[in-house]
Amino acid sequence: MELVAANAARLTPERVAQLPAAVARPGYDRAAMRVGIVHLGLGAFVRAHLAAVNEAALDAGADPCWGICGVSLRQADTRDALAPQSGLYALALRSADADGHEQTRMAVIGCLLETLVAPEDPQAVLARIAHADTRIVSVTVTEKGYCHDPASGRLNMLHPDIVHDLAHPLAPRSTIGFLVWGLRQRRAAGLGPITLMSLDNLPGNGHLLRGMVLAFAQQVDAALAAWIEALCAFPCSMVDRIVPRTTDGDRREVAHMLGMHDAWPVLAEPYLEWVVEDQFAAGRPDWSLGGARFVAEAAPFETLKLRTVNGTHSALAYLAVMAGWATVDQAMAQPALKAYLAALLQEEIVPTLPPLPGLDLTRYQQRLLQRFENPALKHQTRQIAMDGSQKLPQRLLDTVRARLAADLPIGRLALAVAAWLHFLRGVDEAGRAYDIQDPLAAELAQRYAQAEYAARHTGAGPAALLAWTQMLTGLPTVFADLGDDPRFVRAVALAAHRLRSQGVAGALEAAQQEGISPAS
């Protein structure tokens, strides 16, 4: 990470008073705070979302027991950047006015009180989960962090981290291992239950986390599993805020606005949505003061977000990477892509949504596309394209299933799925190579090679593309039953043919001209 200058003053608690007046800063006594929330997966998103909402609650007078301990599960880089700053960091909310001029609203977040690195000291993490002050453990570990089979939703007992963690109670590696062994220590100490809260983009994320934890706990101790099941809470939630990766250029800009150096600020759009079920085993802050919405049932909001925001984001990303459009706003400047996404939302995604009384879906769709157009974020399409095998089932394939069950066309959804398959070749239309960053990367590469072989040995034309598509959509861990549905395979094969023969621009033009593909 690049420093602004060798002698740049560092953001520290002692220098907060020197910040420019326009920069918001903690309005509470940080010295009186203690940790009540342990968060696993200390990445940019949680620092721009949960921590920002928690900060607002603290500023409004929430109990000082709700400080956060952030845990990095893999690397020490976040801890190394923030520890010299006592956990302080800047949150820059970026937008653009009607004329396209970029605007930034800056705040220094103070509720991150402690940072731990799990591989360095796993017992410190377990002790934090088991600490008497801890009342909530939250997680943002992305879809792959649950060590589950995305198609079935079951814990993968053969996952190397799960195998390791069952044998090493004092040195776990996985999210699930840390949670269960930490809860075992907590129960053994005679302490009460806590809330375990997923903030990842997964349908029924609380139910999924509960299932993974109980499956692991059953392998450890049936009595522990029964204690967790009866007393701990696993609320579901929907989170929504676009948080791009921080660059050195961002650090320089933030340093200029702060008048001092922040080693790892986070950037985000102003928009924030958090819908969370009000099911907590040991209390909670009043996060509604920071914009959260507490509900009895989060499922309809989860479906809305996964299918609209995440589904269109993934569709955009795979098409954009192949076309060479590096950022989301650059992709949205392409009229054909913008028209495709608008039609995908209106014609194929929105009709599958559950009832959401009071929500203006037309306005919601318009606002979503406007969020994607935000030129101030410079959100990299390659970042969104990561881990497709883990994302597609809930972002696109569940919508496909809903439409096929109603015997409705899937032409535009098929193009999004085909874009991911096309993306797996690892070379864009200009011949630039890129890595496939995915937990199933090796298996996907093997499948892709087999698909190419099947296509070459099937002849030419539609039959070859159908064989290619059948091989790729036959991957059960991603597609499950859809690989056996000829309607799905044919629609994806047609879209793949257009991408391979006409490129992204040609495929989008064909989609725009035809509307819903008759072959769907």
Side-chain angles (χ1 to χ4, degrees):
M1 287 175 288
E2 178 180 318
L3 290 176
V4 177
N7 61 348
R10 189 74 169 261
L11 173 63
T12 63
E14 296 75 25
R15 294 193 177 105
V16 166
Q18 302 170 23
L19 290 167
V23 178
R25 74 285 310 272
Y28 50 88
D29 182 5
R30 229 175 151 239
M33 296 285 292
R34 63 184 190 274
V35 170
I37 302 167
V38 177
H39 185 83
L40 306 183
L42 186 59
F45 181 81
V46 70
R47 295 198 286 134
H49 195 281
L50 169 65
V53 174
N54 198 56
E55 187 80 359
L58 290 167
D59 279 334
D63 193 294
C65 70
W66 293 114
I68 298 174
C69 168
V71 179
S72 295
L73 292 170
R74 294 286 180 250
Q75 298 175 326
D77 48 1
T78 305
R79 188 275 315 278
D80 292 346
L82 298 185
Q85 302 173 187
S86 298
L88 294 175
Y89 64 90
L91 169 61
L93 300 183
R94 287 180 171 175
S95 59
D97 63 20
D99 297 322
H101 299 130
E102 295 185 9
Q103 302 171 320
T104 302
R105 190 165 77 247
M106 191 79 69
V108 168
I109 304 298
C111 62
L112 181 64
L113 304 182
E114 181 180 54
T115 54
L116 299 175
V117 180
E120 290 182 2
D121 193 352
Q123 293 186 46
V125 179
L126 294 171
R128 257 301 169 202
I129 294 173
H131 197 284
D133 286 343
T134 299
R135 295 153 76 179
I136 295 172
V137 178
S138 53
V139 300
T140 49
V141 291
T142 76
E143 296 87 347
K144 64 186 175 185
Y146 290 78
C147 299
H148 74 304
D149 174 11
S152 70
R154 296 190 184 93
L155 183 65
N156 180 3
M157 291 297 183
L158 299 180
H159 191 288
D161 286 349
I162 298 300
V163 173
H164 172 276
D165 289 359
L166 285 170
H168 298 87
L170 297 180
R173 296 173 179 166
S174 73
T175 301
I176 307 305
F178 272 109
L179 291 176
V180 174
W181 291 120
L183 287 171
R184 189 180 76 155
Q185 289 188 15
R186 187 176 188 87
R187 178 171 174 262
L191 297 173
I194 57 174
T195 298
L196 297 100
M197 181 174 64
S198 170
L199 302 179
D200 283 303
N201 289 315
L202 290 158
N205 53 14
H207 302 314
L208 177 70
L209 181 61
R210 181 177 182 272
M212 301 303 101
V213 167
L214 291 177
F216 190 101
Q218 283 287 354
Q219 300 295 313
V220 173
D221 178 359
L224 172 63
W227 181 82
I228 295 170
E229 184 172 19
L231 298 177
C232 291
F234 294 83
C236 294
S237 66
M238 179 274 276
V239 294
D240 190 5
R241 172 170 260 181
I242 296 172
V243 182
R245 183 177 288 123
T246 303
T247 67
D248 284 336
D250 296 325
R251 291 184 178 88
R252 286 191 292 270
E253 182 178 333
V254 167
H256 177 73
M257 296 186 71
L258 294 179
M260 58 189 73
H261 176 62
D262 178 357
W264 208 322
V266 289
L267 300 305
E269 63 175 333
Y271 180 92
L272 181 146
E273 185 75 28
W274 185 14
V275 178
V276 58
E277 292 174 348
D278 201 1
Q279 302 170 13
F280 290 79
R284 60 163 175 79
D286 186 1
W287 285 318
S288 64
L289 297 169
R293 185 188 327 183
F294 292 102
V295 298
E297 176 68 40
F301 299 94
E302 290 176 345
T303 302
L304 169 72
K305 199 273 181 140
L306 285 166
R307 295 187 181 182
T308 59
V309 182
N310 298 123
T312 53
H313 230 186
S314 286
L316 178 153
Y318 296 118
L319 291 164
V321 169
M322 295 306 295
W325 304 323
T327 63
V328 173
D329 61 295
Q330 183 183 353
M332 289 297 292
Q334 315 301 318
L337 179 63
K338 183 176 178 180
Y340 160 74
L341 292 177
L344 174 64
L345 278 166
Q346 179 66 32
E347 302 296 333
E348 296 192 12
I349 294 176
V350 166
T352 73
L353 297 176
L356 285 160
L359 179 66
D360 183 341
L361 276 169
T362 299
R363 174 62 186 140
Y364 182 86
Q365 294 171 72
Q366 292 170 345
R367 186 172 188 181
L368 173 57
L369 296 177
Q370 290 169 356
R371 292 169 61 195
F372 288 174
E373 291 176 317
N374 185 347
L377 289 179
K378 300 176 179 61
H379 199 182
Q380 298 292 312
T381 52
R382 286 278 305 279
Q383 180 186 355
I384 304 165
M386 292 170 57
D387 302 335
S389 70
Q390 312 297 297
K391 295 175 177 176
L392 253 68
Q394 59 272 1
R395 294 188 175 199
L396 293 168
L397 302 184
D398 282 349
T399 315
V400 168
R401 287 188 179 88
R403 292 191 64 82
L404 290 177
D407 200 26
L408 295 171
I410 59 165
R412 296 183 181 94
L413 286 162
L415 178 57
V417 175
W420 179 59
L421 301 182
H422 192 42
F423 164 85
L424 294 179
R425 72 179 186 173
V427 180
D428 70 13
E429 291 178 356
R432 293 180 292 255
Y434 51 82
D435 294 331
I436 303 299
Q437 298 183 48
D438 194 289
L440 299 184
E443 186 174 1
L444 292 171
Q446 182 180 23
R447 277 271 173 173
Y448 194 89
Q450 291 170 340
E452 291 289 301
Y453 179 87
R456 287 195 302 270
H457 290 76
T458 306
L465 259 296
L466 187 62
W468 183 87
T469 306
Q470 285 173 327
M471 177 60 68
L472 287 168
T473 58
L475 182 62
T477 52
V478 176
F479 294 99
D481 57 313
L482 280 175
D484 298 322
D485 191 320
R487 298 170 297 171
F488 172 70
V489 176
R490 284 198 302 269
V492 174
L494 173 61
H497 170 69
R498 287 175 172 165
L499 286 169
R500 288 163 69 96
S501 62
Q502 302 174 38
V504 170
L508 289 171
E509 183 180 352
Q512 193 171 6
Q513 290 176 352
E514 293 183 4
I516 297 173
S517 168
S520 305

